[in-house]
Amino acid sequence: MSHPGLNLSGKVALVTGGNSGIGLGMADALAQAGADVCIWGTNEGKNLAASAQLETHGHRVLAQRCDVGDEEAVDSSFAAAVAKLGRVDSCFANAGIGGGAPSFMEFDTETWRRIMRVNLDGVFFTYRAATRHMVERGGGGSLVVTSSLSATEGAPRNEAYAATKGAVISMTKSLAVELARYGIRANSIQPGWIESAMTQRAFANEKFQDRVGRRIPVRRWGVGGDFGGLAVYLASDLSEYHTGDNFVIDGGYAVF
């Protein structure tokens, strides 16, 4: 029998980038725990497939096409989610993209700005909409951002991605302090090497598979489902005194 505090019945969770990978792993666990779930994604086909999966748990599911780098789209989508589901209790700012260059000297400005737009501006827009709603309705809430080990470990040729992932940790810690008076907690998650569409190219490289795989103590790659339990905890009342933290979920990679 599960702990009653992990029952999310009556709660609503929003997961950006929730139609695949880590986002879908979190959304699925949240729905299984009883939450109504809203997912954002830009691929309509993936949104539909994810919705079908989430609906099997018997709770309300809303899938919205939303580009988190578009300020107006975020504000209108968030308002529509509240109108449809009544409230948002936890907001998981998970949407993100990758992108690099053969070397930093060859890093083009367009790629830099494209990554900043989604990974940093997108979190800012999403967090801002969520905090405005949570403060206005009262009762607190939970903010969670998906960062990356690249925020604290060197990520050669991926400086833009690393910069955004470090920035969102700093943003989240600041929000943990500022918003505590409203009962809103804010935490970040640092995934290690996770099998997803974003990492597909790296995983296709045999040299990468060999060198990196040997550094993971649990001897396997991470998957979206590995983030489900943490998502449920952070959305539950059991975490109401847990804020300003950063969770490393990497199978022991960073400490080996």
Side-chain angles (χ1 to χ4, degrees):
M1 182 176 181
S2 63
H3 192 292
L6 296 175
N7 185 338
L8 301 182
S9 298
K11 294 185 180 294
V12 178
L14 167 66
V15 184
T16 73
N19 60 16
S20 64
I22 292 173
L24 181 55
M26 294 193 293
D28 192 69
L30 292 163
Q32 286 188 61
D36 295 327
V37 178
C38 175
I39 58 172
W40 287 359
T42 57
N43 184 307
E44 292 283 16
K46 290 169 68 175
N47 281 356
L48 288 172
S51 293
Q53 176 180 328
L54 297 174
E55 287 169 352
T56 63
H57 302 303
H59 305 287
R60 293 184 297 172
V61 175
L62 175 64
Q64 296 174 298
R65 188 182 187 285
C66 181
D67 171 7
V68 296
D70 182 330
E71 181 177 7
E72 292 185 3
V74 169
D75 287 342
S76 62
S77 295
F78 198 98
V82 171
K84 180 74 173 181
L85 300 175
R87 58 191 290 133
V88 171
D89 299 285
S90 55
C91 178
F92 293 81
N94 168 77
I97 60 172
S103 73
F104 183 68
M105 289 78 75
E106 299 169 85
F107 217 113
D108 65 86
T109 304
E110 181 181 355
T111 300
W112 177 274
R113 289 179 175 160
R114 178 173 58 86
I115 294 169
M116 292 289 164
R117 177 184 179 276
V118 175
N119 295 6
L120 184 53
D121 293 352
V123 173
F124 165 62
F125 295 146
T126 302
Y127 266 174
R128 187 178 62 183
T131 55
R132 285 172 173 171
H133 165 70
M134 292 174 182
V135 170
E136 181 180 0
R137 68 161 169 74
S142 178
L143 304 174
V144 184
V145 70
T146 302
S147 178
S148 164
L149 278 186
S150 65
T152 50
E153 296 196 350
R157 298 174 293 280
N158 283 281
E159 287 81 5
Y161 183 78
T164 62
K165 294 306 182 178
V168 296
I169 293 177
S170 297
M171 188 193 310
T172 301
K173 287 182 180 292
S174 297
L175 289 173
V177 176
E178 180 178 347
L179 300 175
R181 71 192 69 184
Y182 301 106
I184 299 171
R185 54 203 185 276
N187 296 283
S188 57
I189 300 173
Q190 274 190 286
W193 286 105
I194 311 300
E195 287 194 78
S196 68
M198 186 183 297
T199 58
Q200 186 175 17
R201 186 173 179 180
F203 279 86
N205 186 311
E206 291 186 8
K207 182 181 290 186
F208 167 86
Q209 288 272 5
D210 179 57
R211 291 186 177 181
V212 177
R214 286 183 294 171
R215 275 197 57 190
I216 304 176
V218 301
R219 291 296 186 266
R220 71 170 176 84
W221 307 107
V223 296
D226 291 322
F227 298 83
L230 180 56
V232 171
Y233 166 69
L234 291 175
S236 76
D237 293 338
L238 292 180
S239 64
E240 65 179 4
Y241 197 64
H242 200 157
T243 193
D245 203 357
N246 179 55
F247 297 83
V248 178
I249 310 295
D250 68 347
Y253 179 89
V255 297
F256 181 53

